Amino acid sequence: EFVKQYKQFGVDKPLYAPGFLTEGKVIESQGDAALGIFTSMNYAADLDNPANRTFASEYQKQPGWGIPTTYAMASYDAAAVLDKAISIAGDDLTPQSLNAAIGKIGQIDSPRGAWQFNQNRTPLQKWYLREVKRDGGVLSNVLVTELTTLG
C-alpha cells in the first residue's frame, strides 16, 4: 500500500528503497504505481553473467514461476554452498566439520555474480541498483548499475 499511496500523494521525487519493497509477487499487487521505483539488492534477474543466464532461463521454463527473485537465487546458492561444503567435509560430516568446510569454499560462481564468505561467514557480494520497468507486459526490477561490494 505504501507504493500506491506514494504515487497517489503526488510526490514528484524518485523513490529509493531496499530491494524487498518491490521483490517477488508484491510487485504485481503494486501495479503501475511501482514504475520508476529504484531499489538496491544483491540480485537482479537480468544480470549478464553465465551463471545467471542459465539460472534465469531454466527458472522461467517452470510453469507459473515467472521472473526469478532474490529469494530463488539465495535458495539456489544455499544448495550450491551445502553441496560444496559437504564435499569438502567428506565422510566426517558433523556440524563443526561442515562449518569449517564452509570457510574453505572460496569463490562461488552464482547468478548474483561471483561471491565468497568473509571471515565471519557473511557473503562478500556485489549490490546493484535496480529500477522497476515494464519488461514486455511484466513489471520487473531492471538492472541500472552495480553499486558496490559489501560483506
Side-chain angles (χ1 to χ4, degrees):
E1 289 303 310
F2 171 77
V3 168
K4 291 178 182 177
Q5 291 171 357
Y6 189 86
K7 292 293 182 181
Q8 289 170 351
F9 200 67
V11 178
D12 68 348
K13 302 280 185 206
L15 178 59
Y16 289 82
F20 297 108
L21 182 66
T22 60
E23 189 68 8
K25 295 288 184 183
V26 71
I27 197 172
E28 295 170 14
S29 67
Q30 294 165 343
D32 286 346
L35 289 169
I37 292 176
F38 292 93
T39 60
S40 60
M41 183 57 80
N42 63 349
Y43 178 69
D46 60 340
L47 286 171
D48 188 17
N49 65 57
N52 191 53
R53 284 192 297 274
T54 301
F55 171 73
S57 174
E58 292 299 316
Y59 187 92
Q60 292 178 71
K61 288 179 184 176
Q62 304 307 310
W65 285 19
I67 298 170
T69 64
T70 193
Y71 309 113
M73 174 279 303
S75 297
Y76 177 90
D77 278 0
V81 165
L82 284 173
D83 183 57
K84 287 183 175 191
I86 290 169
S87 177
I88 291 169
D91 293 335
D92 182 32
L93 188 59
T94 65
Q96 294 79 14
S97 68
L98 185 60
N99 187 42
I102 287 172
K104 298 175 184 173
I105 288 175
Q107 195 169 61
I108 297 161
D109 186 26
S110 165
R112 72 176 100 177
W115 67 277
Q116 63 190 36
F117 287 109
N118 69 13
Q119 198 169 26
N120 295 325
R121 307 290 194 272
T122 301
L124 180 59
Q125 62 191 338
K126 292 181 182 178
W127 284 82
Y128 305 95
L129 180 65
R130 311 171 316 170
E131 181 181 1
V132 176
K133 295 183 178 183
R134 285 213 173 270
D135 184 7
V138 178
L139 289 171
S140 183
N141 290 294
V142 177
L143 178 67
V144 175
T145 191
E146 182 181 315
L147 293 171
T148 191
T149 299
L150 293 173

